[in-house]
Amino acid sequence: MTSNELKLLEYLVGHFQSGNISPDNPSTHLPYSKILAELEFLNDDRTPGDILTSMR
């Protein structure tokens, strides 16, 4: 697992544990663009979803 993948995992787990995200409630799901901004991941002109799903 890369450092960015671990950072993303810790971020998501933290949101689940705090109750901010509910798997059964789509209104609580985080937009990919918000995750990229909060984790300060580089935006290289791909869509936010492409960036998050192709991290290596």
Side-chain angles (χ1 to χ4, degrees):
M1 183 173 287
T2 68
S3 62
N4 279 348
E5 290 169 336
L6 183 57
K7 190 175 178 181
L8 175 59
L9 179 61
E10 290 172 345
Y11 175 87
L12 293 173
V13 168
H15 277 280
F16 275 107
Q17 288 176 334
S18 68
N20 293 337
I21 298 173
S22 172
D24 299 326
N25 184 353
S27 70
T28 66
H29 297 178
L30 300 171
Y32 290 158
S33 57
K34 178 179 175 149
I35 296 169
L36 285 177
E38 289 189 0
L39 294 178
E40 299 178 347
F41 287 158
L42 178 64
N43 186 342
D44 57 7
D45 295 326
R46 292 181 290 161
T47 66
D50 284 343
I51 294 168
L52 290 173
T53 59
S54 65
M55 282 191 306
R56 292 211 166 87

